Amino acid sequence: MLYLAEVQKQKGGLLSGGGKAELKLLACQRTDQNWSTVSEEVIAAEDASKLNDGALVLVELNPNRQVQRIQEAGRPLVNILQNFSRQLEKFKLKEDEIDQWKQSLTFQAQELNRREMEMEARLEQLQNMEDELHQLEEQKQEVDTSRSEIERLQAEIERNRQELEGAWEHLRGEQRRLEERQADFKQGTVLDEEQSRAMGELLDRLSSRIPPTETVTEHLHLGFELLEKQQAILSPHWEQLQQQKTAIAQQQEEVERLSQILSDRQNVWQQGQNSLAQQTAQLQVNTAELNNKQDYINLLKEQLRNQEDLYQQIHTLAATSGDVVLGQQVDVEALQKMPLEELQKIVQDLQHKLEIDASFVHDQEQELKYKQEAIEELQNKLNQASDQDHINLELELTDEKDLYEMLNSSLVGQRRNMLQHQKFLKQHQNVLLRRQGHTIADEEEGNQINLGPVLLQIETQRQQYSQEIQKLEREIEQMRAGIDLAQGMIDNQTHDLEEKQQELKAIEENLLSLRTATAQCCGRVNLYEEVLQPIQDCLDNLRQKLQGIRESLDQFQETGDHQLQAIAQMRQTLQSLISQPELLAS
């Protein structure tokens, strides 16, 4: 099982080669991504003596709590932290996506509720219109009934008028005969009793032929009452129609106001869109310039890497070849004068240090081997992965390759240092062997080549490249900060434009709804007026006809009174003729 541990060393004597090393267990790996703390336990580990006190290592223990493998924990911890960061980023993206879905669902629910309320309001309006139309139909039926009654009364009045005209003609004939009788009377003709009785009967018949007008007057008043009732029922509808016309006028004013607001805000949004396009174009120019500088700095870094490779190759050549040296040499004369025991101690220390370096390089090479295996495994997974997991695997593969390159680069210098330590140790060992009386067969120190000036020139070029790279990196950092600031401003402006666009959309929807409602109200008012106007015209026509009947009835009443007066005068004349017996005797 794999544990995270801390190296603890106890101080020891110089001859013992250092203190006793122990491992203090801190955490235990449960799964690939799950670590848990453990009770502080200390385990002895001789292999940890070459590590520094307080160093963090990853140690693998067998079931008997014995150390199987130790490696430094720096890179694995970096990997764990990077994986943890990636997981946090993934979780954050998922949370943002969930929040966006929640906002979208909330907006859709609000929109559905608003649509539902509008539908309910429109259904209620339609129901009210149906009720009003039903009432108007009932009123129209009542008006038709009143019209039939008035037409019946008009026909009855016309019949009475015709009868009155016939009676009036008969009265004129009787009056003419009476005048003839009076003319005969003046000539000496005398009415006898039979003729007087006949004249009286004729006058009675004439009086009885004048029809009474009280019934017609009563029906006429009833018609006017029905007409006023219908008008009283119709007047509130006219008032409601006028109110609706006023409301439509107000809605039309609101439509014009919203249209003006929409036009103004569209102009402002278009100006902001143009400004955003200009800023985006400038940002693209700055980004292109940044990319050019980044390409140049990559070229310089490539040159620097080439110089570093050359530098390392020369060091490797100097470390592996006995004919090549790098500046500083072993002071053989000082080693010849040094006490033999001290020289032996120095050789032992150098050998011990070389063993530590060799062990560390070996561990790093094992770690590099594990990284290579992990890269190959991720590559296999990537070849067989689905489209959904392809991006995540590519990111993990890129991170693993970057870690592999970093570890490989650090190993190059460590191998070089180890080779230099080997050569340095070999020089000390040669001096020790000569002082101990042994013969050195391959000792040719007189013909060695010093590559120190070459390395100095390479180092100078490296410094120049480094300075140029630092200068460009500072410029790139400033440009990147400016680009980030510009990008932030563009993002804010884009967000503001999106909000303004949403406001414009809301205003357009409100304007469309208001226009639709106004059109519906106009249609309803027009339909209302189309229904009311024929009924009102019918009532006005009935009122005019009733008024004409009233005038005709007044004339008929006046004519009947005149006829009665004429009959009364004829009776008086006839009575005066009958009351003169001397005329009858003569």
Side-chain angles (χ1 to χ4, degrees), residues 208-265:
S208 61
R209 294 298 299 272
I210 298 176
T213 60
E214 288 79 5
T215 304
V216 178
T217 303
E218 183 179 356
H219 287 295
L220 185 62
H221 286 307
L222 181 60
F224 273 109
E225 289 179 359
L226 291 175
L227 184 64
E228 293 301 327
K229 287 182 180 179
Q230 294 295 326
Q231 187 64 47
I233 295 174
L234 200 61
S235 295
H237 293 287
W238 282 110
E239 293 177 357
Q240 186 177 2
L241 179 63
Q242 188 62 36
Q243 292 175 359
Q244 291 181 358
K245 286 184 177 180
T246 304
I248 289 174
Q250 294 176 355
Q251 288 180 355
Q252 289 177 346
E253 292 178 358
E254 182 68 16
V255 167
E256 293 177 356
R257 187 182 69 83
L258 286 179
S259 299
Q260 185 64 36
I261 292 175
L262 180 61
S263 177
D264 296 338
R265 294 193 179 182

Side-chain angles (χ1 to χ4, degrees), residues 56 72-79:
L56 292 177
E72 287 190 351
R75 290 299 172 190
L77 283 178
V78 171
N79 294 338

Side-chain angles (χ1 to χ4, degrees), residues 5 100 126 190 229 240 244 246 263 341 385 393 423-424 468 470 482 499 552 570 575 577 581 585:
Q100 291 176 0
L126 291 175
V190 181
K229 287 182 180 179
Q240 186 177 2
Q244 291 181 358
T246 304
S263 177
E341 292 80 5
L393 289 176
K423 186 173 183 180
F424 195 65
E468 184 68 19
Q470 290 177 0
E499 290 182 349
S552 299
M570 292 175 66
Q575 288 293 333
L577 292 175

